[in-house]
Amino acid sequence: MTDIRDILRFYADAGADEALLDQPVNRFVEAESAPRRMSAPEEAMRPDGNSAPPPARNAPAAPPPRATQPTAAVPDEAQAARARELARQAGSLEELREILDGFDGCNLKFTAKQTVFADGDPEADVMFVGEAPGRDEDIAGLPFVGRSGQLLDRMLSAIGLDRTGAYIANVIAWRPPGNRTPTPLETEICRPFIERQIELANPKVLVTLGGPSAKVLLHATEGVLRLRGNWKTHTTAAGTVIPAMPTLHPAYLLRNPAHKKLAWRDFLEIKAKLIEIRG
Ligand code: URA
């Protein structure tokens, strides 16, 4: 007989880690003719704009939208342009955090609990950038606090660093629902914010964690296994060139522990670069 724990484990593994309603809903007694209302993320993915289609003739009136649920914005080019403009306006990291908190142009924001901006010391010589927050980060409001964050902490400590000596952020500041991969447009909307964050933090060394971060920040086209371990550069909008090391994502290393030796080599490179830079 299937244990209820097996079913819950199955759901958790599939990424369904939240109950959406306080009360259970018996779908079998719902009127079959009632049109299905789109969830906020589904509405957000509509290709044609912000509004749902007009109700069919004679269809029951749609329930009023829940007051507490903001309408999700559609990720489109206009939002990417707005993000670029807003990010440019930020004169400090604090201003950038406030702008991100108030930005409603990325639908990921409406399913996330909060904005995950950064952890560590923004004055640090080295900045690490991952892909997007997961469940633990969404709850804590800080990047890399879950299992992969704990591995990152151990990797930092192996080269004599901790979060007081590093600045840590993500390309995307909101947890994608169920940890799904962010869409290219969502990434494009978030790109100006992380680029400005790097520019304002102005680290001496940038480390991209995983393929998506390298793709966005280093314009990399190869796979991360080929890319990692080779110094690249990230150029800010103002033209500052920052040495950048692409390395493997800690979550990948948790799944592929045999590749930790590759990340170890990359971290030794980072350590050597920091020693060289500090003179
Ligand atoms: N993975 C990431 O890329 N970032 C986090 O903050 C956590 C997990």
Side-chain angles (χ1 to χ4, degrees), residues 252-272:
Y252 171 86
L253 296 174
L254 287 171
R255 291 192 304 271
N256 301 277
H259 280 172
K260 282 184 184 171
K261 60 176 181 289
L262 301 176
W264 170 236
R265 280 183 215 151
D266 303 345
F267 270 61
L268 288 180
E269 281 285 334
I270 296 161
K271 183 180 181 181

Side-chain angles (χ1 to χ4, degrees), residues 116 130-134 137 142-145 148-149 169-170 209 249 251:
V116 176
E131 184 183 11
E137 290 75 21
L142 292 170
F144 284 101
V145 293
S148 46
N170 282 307
L209 298 167
H249 194 287

Side-chain angles (χ1 to χ4, degrees), residues 109-147:
K109 176 153 192 195
F110 301 103
T111 46
K113 290 194 197 312
Q114 55 186 319
T115 304
V116 176
F117 186 66
D119 196 14
D121 180 5
E123 309 268 305
D125 287 342
V126 58
M127 176 170 181
F128 293 80
V129 182
E131 184 183 11
R135 181 174 184 271
D136 295 323
E137 290 75 21
D138 189 36
I139 292 168
L142 292 170
F144 284 101
V145 293
R147 278 187 72 221

Side-chain angles (χ1 to χ4, degrees), residues 45-83:
M45 298 310 287
R46 287 171 57 80
D48 55 345
N50 287 304
S51 55
R57 218 184 275 257
N58 301 329
R66 282 198 288 159
T68 50
Q69 183 153 351
T71 311
V74 176
D76 63 9
E77 254 317 306
Q79 299 299 349
R82 201 158 72 90

